[in-house]
Amino acid sequence: MRSDNNGSNGGVLGNNSGTTQGDGLFDASDDGYATSIRTVTLTPQFDEPAAKPLPSQRMRQQRREEPTDFRTSTPRAMTSVDDLDIIKRAKRPPERGLGSVLFKLTGGRINTGQSAAELEHQALVRRANRTVRGVYKIAFISLKGGVGKTTAAKTVGSTFASIRGDRIVAIDANPDLGTLADRERREHHLTVRDLLADGDIRTYSDVRYYTSQGDSRLEILASEADPETSESFNEQDYLDTLRILEVHYNIVITDCGTGIMHSAMYGILDEADALVVVSPTAQDGARSAAATLSWLTKHGYADLVSRSVVAINSTRPGSSSLDLDQLEDVFAQRGVRAVKTLPYDDHLGEGGPIDLKLLNKRTARAYLELVAAIADGFPDSVGKHASR
């Protein structure tokens, strides 16, 4: 029976006909079927989106696409942070006028901002506060007396000192009993002669012992009060004094004596970085001031004239009989750097100590414009008359 079954199964398989019976069709022992069976795996096909490149891949791709020749490539314009608009900019509150009152009354809720006049004032202060390297020496001169030269020197010095943070000193170099120290409240009666007699000057405090200082912070070095000895203040004395002062001060203002022919004047002119020629509004005084500029130009000081400023000073109340605009043109034609007009002021006309707080607004503004014009001539580098 067993052999018949084997034969019957073999016949069916051999003829490849009939009905398949049982699991014998897939018997692994049959070598014919083992080699004919194949396993096929079908993978579904979908249109999947491409994966986004990483940031580093994008940057590399960008660099490959950009031109590599820097000589022919044009860099793309990039917006700077400095070019961004500030949507809401803070405003400095007004310091004067009705806007200042409103700001204070409303606790800062109403801020109209600073007026055009305040902005102009701040611009002048910035000019007057220009940094000076080394020491800058300014001499105030005039041929005639009574033109307000000493008053102008003291007020300019006080205005500078009230604005700036450096040291400023004014020296009275008038050999004929100068009055510069009378325009400040004196702390003592020591003079430039006492300073020169002290052979142990080393520090700023040593020099400060001989000067007087007012509310503006301007220091005054007085001249000798004795007429019998004041005449002996000569060129060498001035130079010796200057060598001491220029070590400790940034701005040195010299109030010269009347005229330009006395002994100390030659040392003053040789050392000065700038002059302030003071002219009155009267015709004879203005003629003398113009003659002073002409004399300086003819005697080798043309460069000094070009660095100088003319101050037309009104010494009497009321309007001048001269056309001040024409007078300014006369001085401008002499080659000076600037011409400024100073109005008459009751406080300055008193002849006593000068307090900037007592000046009227018009006078204070005029002196601020004058010191700003002087500061415009400050050099940019160290050295006498450097980088002009």
Side-chain angles (χ1 to χ4, degrees):
M1 289 296 290
R2 185 171 183 178
S3 60
D4 292 341
N5 289 339
N6 291 339
S8 177
N9 290 341
V12 173
L13 294 174
N15 295 330
N16 197 22
S17 62
T19 302
T20 303
Q21 296 179 359
D23 294 335
L25 182 63
F26 301 101
D27 192 347
S29 62
D30 194 323
D31 294 337
Y33 284 98
T35 57
S36 63
I37 296 174
R38 298 289 187 270
T39 302
V40 179
T41 303
L42 298 179
T43 303
Q45 300 295 321
F46 299 99
D47 294 333
E48 295 184 355
K52 293 183 179 180
L54 297 174
S56 58
Q57 295 173 327
R58 289 199 300 268
M59 293 177 64
R60 287 194 293 270
Q61 180 65 22
Q62 213 171 31
R63 284 196 294 267
R64 285 194 295 269
E65 294 174 355
E66 290 178 351
T68 57
D69 190 349
F70 69 91
R71 294 169 298 179
T72 59
S73 61
T74 301
R76 293 179 299 171
M78 299 181 66
T79 302
S80 170
V81 176
D82 296 333
D83 297 330
L84 299 178
D85 293 331
I86 298 179
I87 299 176
K88 187 175 182 180
R89 188 184 299 273
K91 294 188 298 184
R92 294 184 62 179
E95 299 175 359
R96 305 173 184 176
L98 180 59
S100 176
V101 175
L102 288 175
F103 184 82
K104 293 177 181 178
L105 290 178
T106 61
R109 289 190 298 273
I110 298 180
N111 183 4
T112 60
Q114 295 181 315
S115 64
E118 287 180 301
L119 295 176
E120 291 176 3
H121 180 271
Q122 291 174 6
L124 289 172
V125 170
R126 285 193 296 271
R127 288 170 57 194
N129 205 26
R130 181 181 177 185
T131 302
V132 58
R133 300 185 63 181
V135 58
Y136 196 79
K137 291 159 283 190
I138 309 165
F140 282 70
I141 67 172
S142 67
L143 280 181
K144 288 181 63 66
V147 301
K149 171 181 58 62
T150 297
T151 299
K154 170 60 171 64
T155 310
V156 164
S158 296
T159 303
F160 262 132
S162 66
I163 294 173
R164 303 175 59 85
D166 43 14
R167 297 172 183 166
I168 303 175
V169 64
I171 174 177
D172 193 339
N174 191 337
D176 302 319
L177 194 61
T179 59
L180 178 63
D182 296 335
R183 309 314 303 270
E184 187 59 83
R185 292 178 177 84
R186 299 186 65 169
E187 300 175 353
H188 48 69
H189 292 283
L190 298 174
T191 68
V192 62
R193 184 63 59 193
D194 298 308
L195 174 67
L196 292 176
D198 188 342
D200 196 28
I201 300 295
R202 297 291 183 272
T203 65
Y204 165 71
S205 60
D206 295 334
V207 182
R208 176 67 181 86
Y209 180 79
Y210 294 98
T211 65
S212 295
Q213 187 179 54
D215 295 337
S216 68
R217 295 183 56 257
L218 173 70
E219 296 181 39
I220 301 291
L221 182 59
S223 63
E224 182 58 56
D226 187 353
E228 296 182 1
T229 59
S230 62
E231 192 66 33
S232 63
F233 189 79
N234 53 33
E235 179 181 3
Q236 190 58 51
D237 293 331
Y238 176 76
L239 295 178
D240 291 342
T241 304
L242 202 58
R243 297 291 85 83
I244 296 173
L245 298 179
E246 65 186 4
V247 175
H248 306 286
Y249 296 89
N250 300 93
I251 299 177
V252 176
I253 295 174
T254 301
D255 180 25
C256 305
T258 301
I260 54 177
M261 301 305 293
H262 56 84
S263 174
M265 197 63 196
Y266 291 100
I268 293 172
L269 293 177
D270 289 339
E271 290 289 333
D273 293 295
L275 299 177
V276 176
V277 181
V278 182
S279 168
T281 55
Q283 190 172 21
D284 59 342
R287 186 183 298 113
S288 297
T292 300
L293 294 172
S294 299
W295 185 92
L296 291 170
T297 301
K298 292 179 181 178
H299 288 79
Y301 295 102
D303 185 55
L304 180 58
V305 170
S306 69
R307 301 193 304 270
S308 300
V309 177
V310 172
I312 303 175
N313 188 37
S314 301
T315 57
R316 289 180 289 184
S319 59
S320 171
S321 58
L322 295 178
D323 187 324
L324 296 184
D325 291 335
Q326 292 182 357
L327 184 57
E328 289 182 4
D329 291 338
V330 168
F331 290 123
Q333 293 170 9
R334 266 57 178 186
V336 297
R337 191 166 52 78
V339 182
K340 296 297 178 181
T341 300
L342 305 173
Y344 175 80
D345 189 273
D346 291 333
H347 173 58
L348 297 181
E350 295 171 356
I354 296 174
D355 187 347
L356 295 181
K357 297 179 181 179
L358 299 180
L359 300 181
N360 64 52
K361 293 182 179 180
R362 184 163 169 254
T363 304
R365 173 61 180 254
Y367 271 99
L368 180 57
E369 292 179 355
L370 176 58
V371 299
I374 295 173
D376 288 342
F378 288 172
D380 294 326
S381 58
V382 178
K384 183 178 176 63
H385 309 157
S387 302
R388 299 184 192 278

